[in-house]
Amino acid sequence: MSTSDLSARETMEFDVVIVGAGPAGLAAAIRLKQLAPERSVVVVEKGSEVGAHILSGAVVDPIALDQLLPDWRNDPSHPLQQPVKGDRFYWLTGRRAVRLPNMLMPPLMSNHGNFIVSLGDVCRWLAQKAEGLGVELYPGFAAVEVLYGSQGEVLGVATGDMGIAKDGKAKSSFTRGIELRAKYTLLAEGARGSLTKMLLEKFDLQRDREPSKFGIGIKELWEVQPGKHRAGLIQHTFGWPLDNRTGGGSFLYHWGNNLVSVGFVVHLNYHNPWISPFQELQRFKTHPLVRGTLAGGKRIGYGARAITEGGWQSVPKLIFPGGALIGCAAGFMNVPRIKGSHNAMLSGIMAAEKVAEALATGRANDELTGYESDWRTSAIGRDLRKVRNVKPLWSKFGTIVGAALGGLDMWTNTLGFSLFGTLSHGKPDNATLEPASRFKPIQYPKPDGQLTFDRLGSVFLSGANHEGDQPVHLHVADEQEQKRLEHDVFGGPSTRYCPAGVYEWVGEADTFKFVINAQNCVHCKTCDIKDPGGNITWTAPEGGGGPNYPNM
Ligand SMILES: Cc1cc2nc3c(=O)[nH]c(=O)nc-3n(C[C@H](O)[C@H](O)[C@H](O)COP(=O)(O)OP(=O)(O)OC[C@H]3O[C@@H](n4cnc5c(N)ncnc54)[C@H](O)[C@@H]3O)c2cc1C
Ligand code: SF4
């Protein structure tokens, strides 16, 4: 059967459709049902189960959970079992680690009262709460299309057709997607959502705002020797192995049963196309500060995810007729705190309250104006405003001066003023690369298979899996342009920034081509952000495909 003569899609009607079962989507679903139990709420999730695509640090500030489920501490099943007990910040050189006194840190950077968790586990637990309240949860379904009404208002989303072969023909397993129609649609897709990107463009939501900014976070989960585990210790570093022009840093959290989450974030406005964020994490683990903790342990998890970094200046207009953006789809991440899950949940709660209010007065498919007008004076706005200059200062002045000025600015903002006003971020991340010829290729050390690893072995640990016979979900708009710009000018950075080794330039002369190993994709969205020509678009593959993170 050809997909051109497809039957009509089945339609299901709800009061509210939520795309994405991360902290933002689940908090919104729970709040809606708390306020209006009679309303129908559905959440679609592209991962094979809730949590399968969630990757975070994560040290969680419980401010939002205290609002959403005030009694959560008395629930014996809650997964926030590891309070933060020690908080260390280091500046790294190749051999040395200089500890910064905690008293130098502005109070907003303190992690006292926070918890070290697997955010995937937190989402699984929240999903149980949501289902207990009557929310319908559909994991394994990717939303691929926004449905519009005659006035251009959003009427819901459609999930993708399943069972389409690589050549575009329907297979015997073919199942048509479903239209999920609703009075309000909340987009909770996380950083660089694919439908969110369409809505940003359709409704020009980024107008008069700074461009969206991102980083890529690469994480490993280790089981360490019991004698090396320091339950509740969290450690952040900046500096080595990145050069002064490249922003980023590491996190290392001790939690669970001898578990250590170790990860590295590279700001995606980096200039040198030879940089490999994956290799920077591998190098980082060889530093004397870290090596000893991991030596003799076992790596049990791997994954990667983009992180939003634009903050206050870059948050787009949040509303459009028929719905709103919540969580990291809107970019509520606090960069210096490396925290976004609290704001993701707070925004889900806030949007849900505005939706419940609107539904109670019989409204539908219009703009939730209160959400847009209120967020900047809410706890989310207060959290983001104080740190608004940290990333621009870092980008402008490099790590040493930029981080110092960022620290000063956070202090003055704590006292209620800034010497800098509100700085701009400059170019979008895909415009910051410089031609490859201006740099020497970076020779990264070979993996030792004990502490450092190669990319393909790492992807295996992510559990990434896609149905092989389906159209490639990574679209290259113009192959010739890809060669001319991405390869010839920038030396093929996709072969290095992709944490899953999806992209390769192979062959010679006439046979030279761009190969896309789409089955390895861990849905981090970096290619959609960093491709210098903006030529690569990430689209959702068949639902259920992608990584299968057990507890990231
Ligand atoms: C390496 C790293 C470290 C971090 N560390 C911390 C930390 O220590 N503390 C902290 O608070 N925050 C941290 N963050 C940020 C935090 O993870 C995010 O702020 C938070 O996850 C955002 O929640 P969200 O619900 O908006 O999006 P996400 O958590 O990204 O969830 C989005 C969900 O939507 C699903 N989805 C997306 N598109 C579709 C679609 N079209 N159809 C169906 N489903 C879809 C995804 O599969 C996913 O399950 C970190 C992030 C990274 C990457
Ligand atoms: S193909 Fe793109 S989205 Fe997938 S893992 Fe690579 S960079 Fe990330």
Side-chain angles (χ1 to χ4, degrees):
M1 196 203 336
S2 149
T3 50
S4 55
D5 38 52
L6 293 173
S7 53
R9 286 185 289 221
E10 191 191 325
T11 298
M12 294 169 80
E13 301 272 352
F14 297 89
D15 288 307
V16 185
V17 168
I18 299 172
V19 181
L26 291 167
I30 290 171
R31 192 75 186 124
L32 271 159
K33 279 294 199 179
Q34 288 171 336
L35 293 170
E38 72 290 0
R39 296 291 175 182
S40 54
V41 179
V42 65
V43 183
V44 279
E45 167 53 51
K46 67 180 165 59
S48 60
E49 53 147 354
V50 172
H53 287 184
I54 299 293
L55 181 137
S56 192
V59 172
V60 168
D61 175 343
I63 177 175
L65 215 44
D66 288 339
Q67 257 188 44
L68 186 67
L69 303 168
D71 204 29
W72 68 268
R73 287 176 170 84
N74 295 324
D75 174 351
S77 67
H78 79 72
L80 290 89
Q81 298 291 346
Q82 180 60 67
V84 172
K85 291 190 176 154
D87 199 352
R88 298 183 185 171
F89 237 100
Y90 293 91
W91 157 254
L92 295 191
T93 66
R95 303 205 53 78
R96 295 195 53 217
V98 181
R99 181 155 175 208
L100 307 184
N102 284 13
M103 58 186 279
L104 274 186
M105 295 289 159
L108 65 90
M109 293 292 283
S110 164
N111 281 295
H112 181 74
N114 296 339
F115 295 86
I116 309 175
V117 299
S118 145
L119 196 61
D121 285 348
V122 172
C123 289
R124 288 181 185 95
W125 173 69
L126 289 174
Q128 282 173 13
K129 301 279 173 217
E131 281 186 318
L133 291 166
V135 172
E136 289 182 51
L137 259 168
Y138 294 158
F141 288 89
V144 298
E145 191 185 326
V146 180
L147 306 172
Y148 296 102
S150 56
Q151 309 297 311
E153 75 280 23
V154 171
L155 294 181
V157 296
T159 64
D161 296 336
M162 312 271 265
I164 299 178
K166 248 193 169 75
D167 61 6
K169 297 223 172 80
K171 299 186 281 190
S172 59
S173 58
F174 179 75
T175 321
R176 198 79 168 93
I178 302 171
E179 293 195 0
L180 304 169
R181 293 181 172 257
K183 298 187 175 79
Y184 292 100
T185 302
L186 299 180
L187 275 292
E189 295 179 290
R192 197 61 163 201
S194 46
L195 296 189
T196 305
K197 192 175 160 189
M198 295 175 195
L199 288 165
L200 287 171
E201 201 175 310
K202 161 110 180 153
F203 293 105
D204 201 8
L205 301 176
Q206 205 70 41
R207 194 178 52 194
D208 303 329
R209 315 284 158 107
E210 287 287 304
S212 314
K213 302 296 284 182
F214 298 91
I216 176 176
I218 304 189
K219 172 179 165 182
E220 295 181 351
L221 185 61
W222 281 72
E223 206 175 291
V224 299
Q225 291 177 336
K228 297 179 173 178
H229 196 249
R230 305 274 175 271
L233 175 66
I234 68 176
Q235 185 174 296
H236 293 108
T237 72
F238 61 115
W240 190 88
L242 299 178
D243 63 30
N244 193 46
R245 275 190 90 196
T246 310
S250 78
F251 59 89
L252 192 146
Y253 307 146
H254 294 248
W255 64 290
N257 202 0
N258 297 321
L259 297 177
V260 169
S261 297
V262 55
F264 206 88
V265 175
V266 175
H267 298 178
L268 281 175
N269 59 357
Y270 66 82
H271 307 277
N272 180 347
W274 299 105
I275 283 177
S276 159
F278 171 84
Q279 296 290 1
E280 297 299 340
L281 168 63
Q282 301 311 310
R283 274 214 290 200
F284 163 72
K285 288 184 295 175
T286 65
H287 194 278
L289 180 72
V290 183
R291 172 186 280 273
T293 303
L294 302 179
K298 185 171 178 230
R299 189 177 71 145
I300 56 173
Y302 171 81
R305 184 76 174 93
I307 195 166
T308 62
E309 293 188 342
W312 177 264
Q313 299 90 315
S314 298
V315 171
K317 182 180 172 190
L318 299 173
I319 53 169
F320 46 83
L325 309 178
I326 58 177
C328 277
F332 288 134
M333 171 87 187
N334 183 318
V335 177
R337 294 183 73 199
I338 329 184
K339 284 184 190 58
S341 62
H342 62 304
N343 285 339
M345 291 179 66
L346 286 173
S347 65
I349 294 170
M350 195 172 175
E353 287 169 353
K354 304 298 177 192
V355 169
E357 239 172 70
L359 290 174
T361 54
R363 285 166 47 199
N365 305 108
D366 59 359
E367 287 198 339
L368 298 160
T369 43
Y371 176 44
E372 172 67 15
S373 60
D374 290 0
W375 83 265
R376 287 187 194 269
T377 50
S378 74
I380 307 173
R382 289 194 293 278
D383 188 52
L384 295 188
R385 192 171 152 75
K386 287 193 193 113
V387 302
R388 67 194 182 282
N389 290 325
V390 172
K391 163 92 180 181
L393 285 166
W394 200 330
S395 309
K396 219 174 162 68
F397 295 104
T399 302
I400 297 174
V401 176
L405 290 175
L408 173 71
D409 196 57
M410 284 192 284
W411 268 113
T412 60
N413 269 288
T414 306
L415 304 173
F417 70 99
S418 168
L419 299 171
F420 301 102
T422 298
L423 296 172
S424 76
H425 283 299
K427 298 177 192 169
D429 293 332
N430 74 325
T432 61
L433 282 178
E434 292 170 19
S437 56
R438 290 197 197 152
F439 303 87
K440 263 209 328 235
I442 304 172
Q443 299 301 329
Y444 289 105
K446 285 209 161 25
D448 62 15
Q450 308 281 317
L451 182 67
T452 58
F453 302 91
D454 66 15
R455 249 186 323 187
L456 290 184
S458 302
V459 178
F460 178 76
L461 273 187
S462 74
N465 186 28
H466 291 86
E467 160 61 42
D469 189 12
Q470 68 170 304
V472 171
H473 69 280
L474 300 148
H475 297 176
V476 179
D478 181 337
E479 297 245 352
Q480 279 181 355
E481 178 64 1
Q482 195 66 16
K483 159 125 184 11
R484 190 196 65 76
L485 194 69
E486 205 257 343
H487 180 272
D488 294 354
V489 178
F490 295 105
S494 60
T495 62
R496 291 175 287 278
Y497 64 58
C498 173
V502 167
Y503 299 106
E504 292 176 281
W505 284 102
V506 298
E508 283 170 31
D510 291 354
T511 63
F512 193 62
K513 62 173 181 181
F514 195 43
V515 172
I516 302 178
N517 304 299
Q519 70 282 2
N520 286 354
C521 175
V522 294
H523 296 200
C524 75
K525 316 279 180 78
T526 302
C527 50
D528 194 287
I529 298 163
K530 189 64 180 168
D531 180 63
N535 205 20
I536 300 180
T537 302
W538 186 97
T539 65
E542 264 189 20
N548 280 290
Y549 300 134
N551 52 354
M552 295 291 266

